Amino acid sequence: MQQAERSAGTEASAASAETTYLELLARGASAEAYEQPVLLARAEGRPAEWIAALQQAKPLALRVRSELEGRRRREAELSALFETAHDLAGLRDLDAVLRAIVQRARSLLGTDVAYLSLNDPARGDTYMRVTEGSVAARFQQLRLGMGEGLGGLVAQTARPYVTDDYFKDERFRHTLTIDAGVRDEGLVAILGVPLTLGHHVIGVLFAADRRARVFEREQIALLGSFAALAAAAIDTANLLTETRSALSELERANEIIRDRSGVIERASDVHDRLAELVLRGGGVHDVAAAVSEVLDGTVEFTEAAAAPAEPLEASRAEGHAVRHEDDWIAAVAAGGELLGALVLRGHPGLDPVDQRTLERAAMVTSLLLLARRSAAEAEQRVRGELLDDLLDARDRDPRLLRERAARLHADLESAHVVLAARIEGDAADADQEADARRRLAAAASHLAATRHGLASARDGGTVLLLPLHPGATATDVARRAARQLGTAVHAPVTVGASAPAADLAAQPHAVATAYAEARRCLDALRLLGRTGDGAAAQDFGFLGLLLAGDRDIPGFVAQTIGEVAEYDARRGTELLRTLDAYFACGMSPARTKDELHVHVNTVAQRLDRVGRLLGDDWQSPARALEIQLALLLHRLSAPAPAQH
């Protein structure tokens, strides 16, 4: 009775502890607040079970809080990048946009100071353009010679650099002017990332603290994203300046204005059309169609491999549209990556304004492609994270899992099949193997998105969770996935499937169990030489799944019943035959003696001998299952009797 009361008290303590920390999570309490429940319980003289339950629940609650804070931080970062990009789309004041970028970078990285410097080609140095959080006048007015200080190192290498302690870092050249400015500001830890246009560094974006600090990889990447937006803002402002300058010249020459009025009208039209396309979420082919109408020609978007290589490379290097025979080619590029080309067909005579229109259309196309890629990668990560949680986490809230799945248009309550997929073929080296895995992961993510499922890279292959439609079987899903993935990656893909499972969010182990079953099916397919095919557990039966993988069947048989087999061989007895009959008769000695046509005492003596050979626990459920399986494998592996 006391034991039951203690057990009930322990369960009540655990439930109360979980409730206490759930309330802290719900109201977004600070990390320090998670120490209070234990202190308060001790102060109130709570039972030891109560305090132990609180201490056990506290690290888990803090881990959940950390995860939630990380997700909120990532959402804030994406929101800030989106807002900055929105500001850039409506750029009117370059200084305002750069100030917003520096302010948001400082806020999200949590640094004391953030600032941005730009190169001055005319004077051959660099100067402070925007600062946020700075208090020293000399620091705000710094002008640095090229190659000096941490910023000079960033500008020279076009790579981010970070220092935990500026004055102790000897990787870059210190000067009295720079060190004095940094010392006035009191800076210690500094992170700098390059502002690049094409292959040229035009400045540096910095984040700095007045204390020693280690900047994490995610923070460096985030500052790099802001630097890319700042460079785009500067480029856009320069383009606007060029446009205004051109308009000013046109205004001063009425005759040129009259001659070019139609061209300017078309440029304005394409600007409005492109802006409208971007706002309503149009695609690259919509951009090509809009420019076709404005330029009164046929503009097509083509993949980089389909465009003439030499003029495409020239367009990318020069940043302008290039004539090729009767066509014009404008490279669609982002940084050093070629994404494709806009080709104006059969229009050899193209004036500079129309050429610029084609070039701007190529720039808009590159932004759309990058946005689409970013959205796809973000969705791929979200789908992969949810599937990883279903596979690995045992204490997730089913309601939250269902809500996350619903946002991805997935229904975890309906029947699903877990697939284990692996690309076949021997890779020449590690890079080729990694590339093959990436292609398979991308194809699986696309398939999962189109089928309202989930996908994630795992164990050298890919795992998918796909819904099972009425009338279909797990085998159908596996074979269809093998065909579709193989076509997408241009290589055989082998797919093993689990049995259907439903209400996955409410069953912590369901997905992991189904994945293990799918892996066994995959191993069995590869063992049987059926690479590039798909199958489910139902297609193999129990032995088929057992044989999947590198199993030592003879070793298993020898280890399990080898002593009995050797005894029969030495003595000419029939212990193995007796064991077979014993299990076939439901472990009944009476029915066994009838099956063997011997006396029941003979059966008892033989089973007693088996017990001495195999151990007293040979009839326990686990051992009995192993022995029966070994007997079956022994029969299957025995040579067939000779035919006379």
Side-chain angles (χ1 to χ4, degrees):
M1 183 66 178
Q2 292 178 350
Q3 179 66 27
E5 290 176 351
R6 283 196 299 270
S7 177
T10 300
E11 293 176 357
S13 299
S16 176
E18 293 173 356
T19 302
T20 300
Y21 284 109
L22 282 175
E23 290 174 354
L24 292 175
L25 287 169
R27 71 168 186 260
S30 64
E32 291 76 9
Y34 287 72
E35 302 291 340
Q36 296 302 317
V38 176
L39 298 176
L40 183 59
R42 288 174 176 164
E44 292 176 353
R46 294 286 189 176
E49 294 87 354
W50 190 289
I51 295 174
L54 287 171
Q55 290 175 329
Q56 185 177 3
K58 182 179 70 174
L60 177 60
L62 286 170
R63 192 161 64 249
V64 173
R65 178 183 179 274
S66 176
E67 177 69 19
L68 291 174
E69 284 185 345
R71 293 183 181 277
R72 283 195 291 268
R73 183 173 63 253
R74 287 193 291 273
E75 290 175 358
E77 293 171 356
L78 290 173
S79 176
L81 288 172
F82 176 79
E83 291 172 2
T84 305
H86 183 270
D87 291 345
L88 177 57
L91 176 65
R92 291 296 180 270
D93 182 355
L94 175 61
D95 286 337
V97 173
L98 294 181
R99 280 195 299 272
I101 289 173
V102 172
Q103 290 168 357
R104 288 167 184 155
R106 179 195 177 201
S107 174
L108 285 176
L109 269 67
T111 57
D112 298 323
V113 182
Y115 50 102
L116 183 150
S117 67
L118 292 180
N119 296 347
D120 187 346
R123 297 181 53 171
D125 63 4
T126 184
Y127 64 98
M128 203 72 71
R129 177 66 182 270
V130 181
T131 63
E132 177 67 18
S134 172
V135 296
R138 177 158 52 176
F139 181 79
Q140 298 169 14
Q141 299 169 6
L142 272 179
R143 295 191 73 97
L144 300 79
M146 299 302 293
E148 297 176 349
L150 184 143
L153 187 61
V154 174
Q156 283 181 339
T157 62
R159 293 172 52 192
Y161 271 86
V162 61
T163 178
D164 299 338
D165 192 330
Y166 175 85
F167 290 101
K168 294 181 180 179
D169 200 326
E170 300 299 329
R171 290 178 300 167
F172 43 84
R173 182 155 54 94
H174 290 264
T175 67
L176 292 176
T177 303
I178 301 174
D179 287 358
V182 173
R183 189 173 289 106
D184 285 354
E185 195 61 51
L187 301 182
V188 177
I190 303 176
L191 163 63
V193 296
L195 303 175
T196 58
L197 286 179
H199 299 291
H200 302 290
V201 178
I202 62 170
V204 181
L205 178 60
F206 299 88
D209 258 340
R210 296 187 175 93
R211 63 187 184 284
R213 169 178 178 169
V214 176
F215 287 94
E216 299 176 356
R217 182 183 303 173
E218 293 81 6
Q219 294 173 321
I220 298 173
L222 176 61
L223 194 65
S225 298
F226 277 115
L229 291 174
I234 294 168
D235 186 41
T236 303
N238 292 337
L239 293 173
L240 287 174
T241 300
E242 293 175 11
T243 303
R244 293 191 184 103
S245 176
L247 289 174
S248 177
E249 293 177 3
L250 290 172
E251 288 174 355
R252 289 194 298 269
N254 291 330
E255 185 177 351
I256 297 177
I257 290 176
R258 286 193 298 270
D259 292 340
R260 297 295 182 180
S261 61
V263 176
I264 295 173
E265 185 176 345
R266 291 199 305 275
S268 177
D269 182 29
V270 75
H271 180 275
D272 293 341
R273 290 180 183 223
L274 294 179
E276 182 182 356
L277 281 173
V278 172
L279 292 175
R280 73 164 187 255
V284 294
H285 296 291
D286 297 321
V287 173
V291 179
S292 295
E293 293 182 15
V294 173
L295 298 182
D296 193 22
T298 300
V299 177
E300 299 174 352
F301 173 77
T302 65
E303 300 293 337
E310 187 174 342
L312 180 61
E313 182 60 33
S315 175
R316 181 177 70 164
E318 299 172 9
H320 297 293
V322 174
R323 181 177 172 179
H324 176 64
E325 298 177 354
D326 288 341
D327 301 336
W328 284 84
I329 296 175
V332 176
E337 181 182 4
L338 265 177
L339 305 176
L342 283 185
V343 181
L344 175 60
R345 304 287 187 189
H347 209 306
L350 193 65
D351 61 45
V353 175
D354 284 348
Q355 180 181 343
R356 190 63 172 164
T357 296
L358 183 62
E359 294 164 358
R360 292 304 299 270
M363 181 182 297
V364 172
T365 301
S366 68
L367 291 174
L368 289 176
L369 289 173
L370 288 176
R372 181 188 300 173
R373 177 190 294 179
S374 298
E377 290 175 350
E379 181 176 348
Q380 178 178 340
R381 285 194 299 272
V382 172
R383 290 182 183 275
E385 288 172 357
L386 176 56
L387 183 52
D388 287 339
D389 284 347
L390 289 169
L391 284 165
D392 300 331
R394 302 290 181 263
D395 52 356
R396 295 288 181 184
D397 185 339
R399 180 180 58 82
L400 294 178
L401 290 173
R402 293 189 187 98
E403 290 178 358
R404 289 169 59 190
R407 287 195 290 271
L408 297 170
H409 306 291
D411 180 11
L412 295 182
E413 295 184 358
S414 64
H416 281 73
V417 175
V418 175
L419 304 178
R422 193 176 185 92
I423 192 168
E424 304 294 347
D426 297 328
D429 52 38
D431 290 339
Q432 287 190 7
E433 182 177 355
D435 179 66
R437 291 180 180 179
R438 283 193 294 270
R439 288 188 286 115
L440 177 60
S445 296
H446 177 73
L447 177 61
T450 57
R451 295 281 304 279
H452 303 299
L454 305 173
S456 178
R458 181 172 285 252
D459 300 327
T462 300
V463 55
L464 297 94
L465 180 67
L466 298 181
L468 183 66
H469 298 301
T473 66
T475 302
D476 298 333
V477 177
R479 289 176 176 170
R480 187 182 305 114
R483 288 195 304 270
Q484 293 174 333
L485 293 175
T487 301
V489 302
H490 306 293
V493 175
T494 308
V495 178
S498 71
D503 199 11
L504 301 175
Q507 303 180 59
H509 301 279
V511 178
T513 302
Y515 175 55
E517 181 179 336
R519 283 288 305 278
R520 290 194 296 272
C521 289
L522 174 62
D523 291 341
L525 281 170
R526 303 181 78 195
L527 182 69
L528 296 172
R530 291 173 56 185
T531 55
D533 196 1
Q538 63 194 27
D539 301 320
F540 293 98
F542 181 74
L543 281 180
L545 290 181
L546 177 67
L547 291 173
D550 298 325
R551 309 284 186 179
D552 182 8
I553 301 302
F556 171 77
V557 173
Q559 182 179 0
T560 307
I561 59 172
E563 293 189 26
V564 178
E566 290 176 3
Y567 189 92
D568 277 351
R570 290 196 312 270
R571 304 291 183 90
T573 55
E574 294 185 329
L575 298 185
L576 286 180
R577 180 167 173 262
T578 302
L579 272 177
D580 263 333
Y582 181 63
F583 286 119
C585 293
M587 301 176 73
S588 167
R591 291 201 296 271
T592 302
K593 61 99 175 173
D594 294 335
E595 175 69 21
L596 296 176
H597 305 292
V598 298
H599 194 275
V600 68
N601 289 339
T602 301
V603 173
Q605 291 171 1
R606 291 178 180 179
L607 294 180
D608 182 67
R609 172 60 62 183
V610 168
R612 287 196 294 273
L613 292 172
L614 298 184
D616 294 337
D617 66 337
W618 72 275
Q619 296 191 71
S620 66
R623 287 290 307 282
L625 177 61
E626 289 182 356
I627 293 168
Q628 291 177 73
L629 181 57
L631 288 169
L632 177 59
L633 292 172
H634 179 71
R635 289 201 307 273
L636 292 175
S637 61
Q643 299 295 324
H644 298 286

